[in-house]
Amino acid sequence: MKTGLVLEGGAMRGLFSAGILDILMREEITVDGTVGVSAGACFGCNYKSKQVGRAIRYNLEYCNDPRFCSMKSLRKTGDLYGAEFCYHEIPEKLDLFDYETYQSNPMVFYVCATDINTGTPVYPRLDKCDWEDLEWMRASASMPLVSNIVKVGGLELLDGGMSDSIPLRFMQESGYEKNVVVLTQPRSYVKSKNKALPFIRIKYRKYPKLIEAIERRQDVYNETLEYIRQEEKKGTVLVLAPAEALPVERVSHDKVALQACYDEGIRVGEENIEKIRAFLAE
């Protein structure tokens, strides 16, 4: 029976997931396959490269660097999160990513991005973490309105959360029968309609299928949460989520808030470690 891990996005809320991943790595708990969406993709790759503490380390180090995330970067490059700095300079020069371990780790790693021409999710498997794989990660995390459209694999792409925020069904359909699902909102959360829809309709008027996907996103998300609850009852899913809303904005330069978000992930991971171990071993 193949085991899987599903990592929701949520920009800086993803540091909660990073905390859980660090506990899994410290306890040497792995799965057969992982899928990450948006921040779940960007931070989840460290699970495959087995780099404990890397995600929180570089986020605290560079959160106030305008090259990392700033309105200056948005005005200059079209990306709120600087593409060159975040996806190349940090992993290649400033906080080295372990490409060798990533490539040798047999765990399969997928990300989810949204094809803006069809409004549907795509799930590439990333085995190398080379330039193309990094572009897929960037696409997965490219939030609408504050990111350039990413072109890779012959597609035009943006944030995977717009079409499949919690891709549990994808993992099940790919043969992963038991899945740990990491949410970055408390279990009681109900998603509401995107308040930025008027601006999205204007900016992406050439992509009507994308607009349709964003218009129904809250319905798809809330239905997915209900599906997850039903799968929990069957014993095929284990959910890990923060006890309450995380004390961090989607975009944050507050080191105290970022650390608190990560620490909650550490707490939830430690609190549930035996449950996780038993669930994956059953």
Side-chain angles (χ1 to χ4, degrees), residues 191-219:
K191 185 175 283 297
S192 56
K193 186 172 290 189
N194 193 322
K195 295 179 181 179
L197 262 174
F199 304 102
I200 288 171
R201 291 189 182 108
I202 293 171
K203 181 165 184 176
Y204 300 107
R205 58 190 177 275
K206 295 181 180 179
Y207 304 97
K209 295 296 184 181
L210 174 66
I211 294 172
E212 289 175 15
I214 298 174
E215 288 175 336
R216 64 175 183 269
R217 181 186 180 190
Q218 69 281 351
D219 300 323

Side-chain angles (χ1 to χ4, degrees), residues 95-155:
D95 196 318
L96 299 181
F97 186 77
D98 190 341
Y99 296 96
E100 183 177 348
T101 298
Y102 180 98
Q103 292 168 12
S104 64
N105 186 341
M107 184 191 76
V108 178
F109 187 64
Y110 305 93
V111 301
C112 173
T114 300
D115 181 336
I116 64 173
N117 287 289
T118 64
T120 57
V122 290
Y123 310 93
R125 172 175 168 167
L126 309 185
D127 293 328
K128 299 179 180 179
C129 208
D130 56 9
W131 182 89
E132 183 170 327
D133 282 3
L134 287 169
E135 285 296 279
W136 278 109
M137 288 186 200
R138 183 165 74 92
S140 179
S142 289
M143 297 182 291
L145 298 179
V146 294
S147 306
N148 288 309
I149 294 169
V150 179
K151 297 179 180 180
V152 61
L155 302 174

